[in-house]
Amino acid sequence: MTRVRTVLFDRDSILAEDPLDPERVCPAPGAREALDLLRLHDVRTGFVALRPGVGHDRLSDAEVRAVNHRVDELLGPFDIWGVCPHGPDDGCHCRPPEPGLILWAAGRVCTAPADCAVVGTAADAEAAARVGAHGILVPDERTGPEETARADHVAPDVLTAVRALLTGPPQGRVLVDERPIESAFEPTVENGEA
């Protein structure tokens, strides 16, 4: 079984709270632990995001960069991060559920889509599926029941999603990991090495 080599997260739904103001950005629950686990197991990490405020002139390019840098300061270092700068009606190829941003990020860290997982919204999971990556939906208050029903893999939170990925690609539709949390921090044995 091949293991997942890179995990990309939706910045605004999974990693950060209050992503419209770099001074108020703070880590989302479970984000730090999830990222620590991946890094401990030598899995590359990155985040992708839609540019907040597009069409409403709420955030300038400099403000978007400041938010990204703040997320990187709080939770990084990340191997890659990228933002789709387009609005929903621009017809771009990078805004989920289009897969362009995922392909770009995976390519930047030299990871084939099949060795990549994307943890985020229903649109993120659909974009991942379109290119053969492993999409995991972590529902929030904006997620509709039809989106949850359509998702190939669903996890109740980011830490569960990541813990399920540590042993390889996601297995099953609803991901659970009932191991004690301490066991997730133990090194994996691969090719006879601890």
Side-chain angles (χ1 to χ4, degrees):
M1 168 187 319
T2 100
R3 70 183 187 103
V4 172
R5 302 204 178 280
T6 299
V7 179
L8 303 173
F9 297 91
D10 183 296
R11 183 194 69 194
D12 302 339
S13 71
I14 301 297
L15 296 181
E17 294 182 345
D18 214 344
L20 295 177
D21 180 352
E23 299 301 317
R24 295 180 57 198
V25 169
C26 62
R32 165 61 60 201
E33 295 85 354
L35 291 162
D36 286 348
L37 275 173
L38 291 171
R39 292 176 183 133
L40 179 68
H41 291 275
D42 295 320
V43 177
R44 291 180 171 203
T45 60
F47 65 81
V48 293
L50 302 178
R51 179 176 172 188
V54 167
H56 303 96
D57 295 324
R58 292 193 327 216
L59 289 183
S60 67
D61 288 343
E63 290 168 322
V64 169
R65 284 192 301 277
V67 167
N68 288 341
H69 284 288
R70 183 65 180 146
V71 171
D72 198 60
E73 285 175 355
L74 291 170
L75 296 169
F78 289 93
D79 296 292
I80 187 72
W81 34 281
V83 176
C84 168
H86 306 104
D89 300 324
D90 289 346
C92 74
H93 297 291
C94 55
R95 185 180 182 92
E98 295 299 324
L101 192 55
I102 292 168
L103 287 172
W104 173 84
R108 295 284 296 189
V109 292
C110 299
T111 303
D115 297 330
C116 186
V118 181
V119 179
T121 65
D124 297 320
E126 183 179 336
R130 288 182 179 190
V131 294
H134 308 283
I136 300 175
L137 168 64
V138 177
D140 62 16
E141 66 279 352
R142 298 172 302 223
T143 307
E146 70 285 350
E147 293 173 315
T148 303
R150 240 186 355 254
D152 290 336
H153 306 289
V154 179
D157 54 62
V158 65
L159 194 52
T160 300
V162 164
R163 290 177 72 198
L165 289 169
L166 290 178
T167 56
Q171 302 294 314
R173 196 175 106 59
V174 178
L175 302 178
V176 296
D177 189 343
E178 297 176 358
R179 296 175 293 166
I181 185 65
E182 295 81 16
S183 70
F185 281 94
E186 294 170 0
T188 57
V189 176
E190 200 171 300
N191 299 328
E193 299 176 9

